[in-house]
Structure formats: C-alpha cells, structure tokens
Amino acid sequence: MDDAAGDAALDERHRRAGEPFPVERVPDRERVVLSSHDFAAVPDDLLDRARAMRATGAGIVKLAVMTRRLGDTVRVLDAATDLQAPGESIFIAMG
C-alpha cells in the first residue's frame, strides 16, 4: 500500500469510529493536513479550535465554516489574523 492509500485508510477508520485523527502517531506530521468543517455556522470557539489544531504539530490546519453575513466573515478573518502560531493555516468562509 502506498503512503497516500495508507493515510486515507487511517483517516477513514477514525472518521467511522468518530474519533479524532491521531496526528501524534504520524512520523512526518508536516505532511498532515488537519481539517475541521462546520457546515452550519461560525463556531464561537473558532480561534481556540484553530490553536488546538495547530498544537497537534500538523503541517497544515484548515478550518472551513459557514458564514451567513458579513460579520461572520469578519470573525473568520480576525481568527486567521490572530492565530499567531508557526505553520500553515487555511481559513475558508463558505456561504
């Protein structure tokens, strides 16, 4: 099994079990894209969630959230600006 297929299989096992992906078990954490999606709203703890994800050591953290109004989009931009942590981060305001 190649690396990509193995990564996908590990991710799918944890998704089905409802468990978080065990980033700490990945030897090359910088190859991990850790993502969080909220298809309903912008969570109140968006920045805390981003910080916790960044603390795992994943190479890239990606947060995608549903925005309904301009103020929601500003909150996403503020969180992206306020995340003062090393590493790559992607914030997506859907809607």
Side-chain angles (χ1 to χ4, degrees):
M1 182 180 317
D2 67 19
D3 286 346
D7 294 346
L10 181 61
D11 184 40
E12 184 58 28
R13 265 198 316 272
H14 285 276
R15 185 182 3 259
R16 275 188 269 127
E19 301 169 355
F21 185 82
V23 175
E24 66 280 354
R25 291 181 46 205
V26 178
D28 299 322
R29 290 185 199 174
E30 67 275 357
R31 294 181 55 202
V32 173
V33 177
L34 185 61
S35 62
S36 172
H37 300 84
D38 190 322
F39 296 105
V42 178
D44 292 334
D45 66 342
L46 181 63
L47 183 56
D48 291 336
R49 191 177 295 194
R51 286 182 177 142
M53 292 170 67
R54 173 56 45 221
T56 67
I60 298 173
V61 298
K62 179 185 75 151
L63 295 99
V65 298
M66 182 61 69
T67 56
R68 305 251 182 236
R69 56 187 68 79
L70 182 59
D72 292 341
T73 305
V74 170
R75 286 180 49 215
V76 174
L77 180 59
D78 287 346
T81 303
D82 291 346
L83 183 62
Q84 299 295 318
E88 298 292 328
S89 301
I90 300 167
F91 287 78
I92 301 171
M94 305 179 290

